[in-house]
Amino acid sequence: TNHFTVLSLSLSLSLTHTHTHTPQESTLYCVVNFEQMKHNNIGSELQDSYNDQHNWVLDSSLDSRGHVPLRARTGAWKAALFIIAIEFSERLSYFGLATNLVVYLTTIIHQDLKTAVKNVNYWSGVTTLMPLFGGFVADAYLGRYTTVLVATTIYLMGLVLLTMSWFIPGLKPCHKEVCVEPRKAHEIAFFIAIYLISIGTGGHKPCLESFGADQFDDDHVEERKMRMSYFNWWNVCLCAGILTSVTVLVYIEDRVGWGVAGIIFTTIMAISLLIFLIGKPFYRYRTPSGSPLTPMLQVLVAAIAKRNLPYPSDPSLLHEVSKAEFTTGRLLSHTKHLKFLDKAAIIEDNTPLDLKKQSPWRLVTLTKVEEAKLIINVIPIWLSTLVFGICATQTNTFFIKQATIMDRHITGNNSFTVPPASMFSLTALSLIISLTIYDKIFVPLLRRVTRNQRGINILQRIGTGMLFSLTTMIIAALVEKKRLDRSENNEPMSVIWLAPQFIVIGVADAFTLVGLQEYFYDQVPDSMRSLGIAIYLSVLGAANFLNNLLITAVDTLADDFSAKSWFGKDLNSSRLDRFYWFLAGVTAANICVFVVVAKRCPYKSVKPNQVVVDSSVSVA
């Protein structure tokens, strides 16, 4: 066709220009003009492709009517704000219960300190492990939007039951104002209610956060930058909910009553659900792609079946579909680690020409191999952040319990007493301030130095937070030792002494917890992003269970080697300072392990699109 075009151009030029050009000049002129036309045609195609990607979202998302989303009308911050609103309400309800739970169990249910702390850890563990199930169901079958609706309904059921247990006569804690032991019916209703909230959180938490991140197109430069800020501002709004909860609502729980607080929790959650539904036309949706575990199994089975085949001389010889055929995600680039899995994508000599008819259990694409590698890559990171999770769990248990036996009067005339759980507001404030400074000041400065859009990479951010968690444990140990010394002399100690450890753990959360959210969302396969957020939450869930095992093991060993138990009936008969020093030592060792793991851990490598949409760069 090109030769025919050149011949036609030559004939045309020779008819019109033979009186001014030699045959050689005419031929050269037509070739140059043909190349110019070809260049102009490519430029036109690039312009059309640019316009398509600028006006439409071409990342496999759909709008509420099942069509390709129009960029100007859907997604980005206009959609994310509706999603953040329901997260604000959920965190307000959750932390209103979670931060005061140890107080509830010791004062209303009348459990001893060790039993109450273990029950809090069990509940927190279930609450943060349930998202693994919820994330799987969302990615495989229901989709994130539907899962959020179902989970929020279950969450509301738990809140309604919790509220009813304070107003229905047969479910009230006691017949009288003060009682030594609560009714069994109230205890059963209470635990059913809080575990319904756990189940609701299991579908709500991973899907809502990943659904919010889905509103930003990763192939659009401006929206990709917005998504980097999204995780920071998501946590700012989350902490605003926590701050409201642990100040206003916790005060209502302590001074007015748990029943009134329950009514407020339920009402706010119902209103936020309505707000979430109003935003439906603005959302971008992802279609569930079936079980995300099946492709991983196919890679393992195919790699084992072809384990004796030699590696190809060039990775480009491995089986992969074209970009035109791959319509439900992004193609991944080949990486050199875990090369054994590459054998799953080797095309055998006896393979028929029609590769599409090959069994997926015998031949898989290179992208599926790389997605399996991504899941294996996150396992060492998950394991090496569990110790941070153990440190973070102390905030809702021992830190709050310490506040209950310290002097909580703020004003000179002792007219106002700070609720113990309100101390967590310092952590929320610290997190909000840290994230704002990090996003608005540190990231722009670091971008200029490192040439990295994030400022520093995700794993560096996570490691920085671990250093702050080590500092928290050291401060907590020193403060608790001082409190014990004063208690022996019956000298009261102000709760303000606990402020530094609550503040520093907030800074640690701003780096590590937010970094973990971004890491597990970004570094898992695109089809598993709800599950990715669930994996992040499972760090805290597993840490709660490990914390219980650690308390039991340490307490047993302390009985053998120490004259005084580390965990007595109350704090004054315990040696909590030694437990904090123990955690500080474990954290220091874990940081060394994390540095080694982080250096060897590769990041996801996505094949670039032909056109990168950046409004700051012209097509030319």
Side-chain angles (χ1 to χ4, degrees):
T1 305
N2 290 345
H3 290 301
F4 179 77
T5 306
V6 172
L7 184 61
S8 301
L9 286 168
S10 299
L11 181 61
S12 174
L13 288 166
S14 64
L15 290 173
T16 55
H17 297 287
T18 49
H19 63 283
T20 57
H21 294 280
T22 66
Q24 293 82 356
E25 290 173 332
S26 298
T27 302
L28 179 61
Y29 183 79
C30 75
V31 170
V32 170
N33 272 272
F34 168 71
E35 291 298 326
Q36 183 65 39
M37 288 176 62
K38 184 178 177 182
H39 177 76
N40 291 339
N41 186 45
I42 293 173
S44 177
E45 290 178 358
L46 284 172
Q47 182 67 55
D48 291 342
S49 179
Y50 173 85
N51 289 335
D52 284 344
Q53 292 200 34
H54 186 73
N55 296 327
W56 302 91
V57 182
L58 306 177
D59 64 348
S60 305
S61 297
L62 300 173
D63 62 15
S64 58
R65 295 173 295 176
H67 301 152
V68 176
L70 187 62
R71 191 178 300 280
R73 295 181 182 176
T74 64
W77 286 113
K78 72 177 74 63
L81 291 176
F82 288 98
I83 298 167
I84 289 175
I86 192 171
E87 175 63 10
F88 172 88
S89 303
E90 190 275 333
R91 290 292 90 181
L92 186 144
S93 301
Y94 176 82
F95 274 90
L97 177 63
T99 53
N100 229 5
L101 187 56
V102 69
V103 177
Y104 190 97
L105 292 174
T106 53
T107 57
I108 306 298
I109 307 295
H110 296 286
Q111 294 180 345
D112 62 75
L113 175 63
K114 191 189 298 185
T115 304
V117 168
K118 284 187 176 182
N119 277 327
V120 172
N121 285 330
Y122 285 136
W123 178 75
S124 299
V126 171
T127 304
T128 44
L129 285 177
M130 277 300 296
L132 289 172
F133 175 75
F136 176 83
V137 170
D139 287 339
Y141 305 111
L142 295 182
R144 287 157 197 161
Y145 178 80
T146 304
T147 305
V148 169
L149 292 181
V150 173
T152 306
T153 302
I154 297 172
Y155 200 112
L156 274 169
M157 290 169 57
L159 290 175
V160 169
L161 180 57
L162 187 65
T163 305
M164 290 169 58
S165 69
W166 277 90
F167 291 102
I168 295 178
L171 295 179
K172 286 185 176 181
C174 296
H175 296 285
K176 304 176 182 179
E177 289 294 326
V178 180
C179 61
V180 178
E181 188 175 351
R183 283 177 174 170
K184 201 69 179 176
H186 175 79
E187 196 171 344
I188 293 171
F190 175 78
F191 279 105
I192 291 174
I194 65 173
Y195 277 98
L196 277 174
I197 292 172
S198 286
I199 295 170
T201 304
H204 189 283
K205 188 67 177 152
C207 301
L208 194 65
E209 186 168 357
S210 56
F211 186 55
D214 287 345
Q215 306 309 309
F216 302 92
D217 182 6
D218 198 55
D219 293 329
H220 190 276
V221 173
E222 290 180 358
E223 289 196 14
R224 185 164 64 246
K225 289 179 181 178
M226 291 179 191
R227 198 183 74 184
M228 293 175 190
S229 293
Y230 161 78
F231 286 101
N232 291 329
W233 291 106
W234 168 274
N235 282 276
V236 168
C237 295
L238 178 151
C239 288
I242 296 172
L243 187 62
T244 306
S245 179
V246 299
T247 51
V248 178
L249 294 177
V250 164
Y251 184 81
I252 292 173
E253 288 172 350
D254 283 1
R255 294 302 180 91
V256 181
W258 280 79
V260 176
I263 292 174
I264 297 172
F265 292 150
T266 307
T267 304
I268 292 174
M269 196 67 185
I271 293 172
S272 69
L273 178 59
L274 291 176
I275 294 173
F276 181 70
L277 290 171
I278 291 171
K280 185 178 180 180
F282 303 101
Y283 300 144
R284 298 172 186 170
Y285 304 84
R286 296 294 180 97
T287 304
S289 54
S291 173
L293 301 180
T294 302
M296 285 191 62
L297 292 176
Q298 290 173 343
V299 170
L300 292 174
V301 170
I304 293 171
K306 294 188 281 189
R307 61 188 179 277
N308 294 323
L309 293 180
Y311 289 105
S313 56
D314 189 343
S316 63
L317 299 176
L318 295 172
H319 175 52
E320 183 63 289
V321 296
S322 66
K323 290 185 178 181
E325 296 174 297
F326 197 77
T327 58
T328 57
R330 296 180 294 171
L331 294 175
L332 301 182
S333 303
H334 178 260
T335 55
K336 295 181 180 180
H337 69 292
L338 299 172
K339 287 186 65 177
F340 170 76
L341 296 179
D342 292 346
K343 293 192 174 185
I346 294 177
I347 302 173
E348 299 172 276
D349 293 337
N350 58 351
T351 300
L353 293 177
D354 192 356
L355 295 175
K356 293 181 180 179
K357 295 182 180 179
Q358 284 291 301
S359 169
W361 297 92
R362 185 71 186 185
L363 179 65
V364 300
T365 63
L366 178 62
T367 290
K368 284 188 176 180
V369 172
E370 292 301 323
E371 287 179 343
K373 290 180 181 180
L374 290 176
I375 299 301
I376 296 173
N377 288 340
V378 302
I379 294 175
I381 300 297
W382 187 88
L383 291 172
S384 59
T385 53
L386 287 174
V387 173
F388 176 86
I390 293 174
C391 294
T393 60
Q394 310 310 315
T395 312
N396 292 336
T397 52
F398 286 125
F399 284 11
I400 298 296
K401 190 60 183 175
Q402 282 176 278
T404 61
I405 62 171
M406 298 176 76
D407 182 9
R408 291 179 280 116
H409 297 103
I410 298 299
T411 57
N413 57 6
N414 295 340
S415 61
F416 180 76
T417 303
V418 178
S422 293
M423 291 300 295
F424 195 80
S425 63
L426 295 174
T427 300
L429 274 173
S430 174
L431 206 157
I432 291 172
I433 294 170
S434 299
L435 285 175
T436 304
I437 294 173
Y438 180 80
D439 189 72
K440 294 300 181 183
I441 299 176
F442 285 170
V443 170
L445 290 175
L446 290 170
R447 277 175 181 164
R448 298 174 186 173
V449 177
T450 64
R451 304 296 180 184
N452 187 328
Q453 283 189 327
R454 288 188 171 90
I456 56 176
N457 67 49
I458 306 176
L459 294 178
Q460 288 173 336
R461 179 175 185 171
I462 293 170
T464 303
M466 289 181 174
L467 292 174
F468 282 103
S469 71
L470 171 61
T471 306
T472 302
M473 290 299 103
I474 294 173
I475 293 172
L478 294 172
V479 171
E480 177 61 10
K481 182 63 171 66
K482 189 173 186 64
R483 190 197 66 79
L484 287 172
D485 292 341
R486 287 197 176 189
S487 66
E488 291 179 358
N489 300 322
N490 294 321
E491 295 179 13
M493 187 171 177
S494 173
V495 75
I496 299 301
W497 280 87
L498 295 179
Q501 63 201 61
F502 277 101
I503 292 171
V504 177
I505 197 66
V507 179
D509 289 349
F511 282 91
T512 298
L513 288 187
V514 180
L516 285 172
Q517 290 173 24
E518 190 173 357
Y519 178 81
F520 285 114
Y521 176 86
D522 191 67
Q523 296 302 309
V524 298
D526 292 355
S527 61
M528 295 177 62
R529 282 177 162 170
S530 295
L531 203 55
I533 295 295
I535 293 171
Y536 142 71
L537 292 169
S538 70
V539 170
L540 300 176
N544 278 283
F545 288 110
L546 285 175
N547 191 42
N548 276 355
L549 291 175
L550 203 58
I551 289 172
T552 302
V554 167
D555 197 36
T556 303
L557 292 173
D559 287 338
D560 297 332
F561 297 100
S562 176
K564 190 175 183 179
S565 174
W566 286 14
F567 305 100
K569 194 170 183 64
D570 55 46
L571 284 180
N572 288 335
S573 61
S574 305
R575 287 305 306 266
L576 205 56
D577 59 321
R578 293 180 180 176
F579 182 62
Y580 289 154
W581 279 119
F582 174 75
L583 288 180
V586 173
T587 302
N590 183 72
I591 290 173
C592 299
V593 174
F594 177 80
V595 169
V596 174
V597 170
K599 284 184 176 180
R600 298 183 178 184
C601 184
Y603 289 94
K604 180 195 288 187
S605 179
V606 180
K607 287 185 179 179
N609 288 330
Q610 292 179 352
V611 178
V612 178
V613 183
D614 186 350
S615 63
S616 65
V617 181
S618 65
V619 176

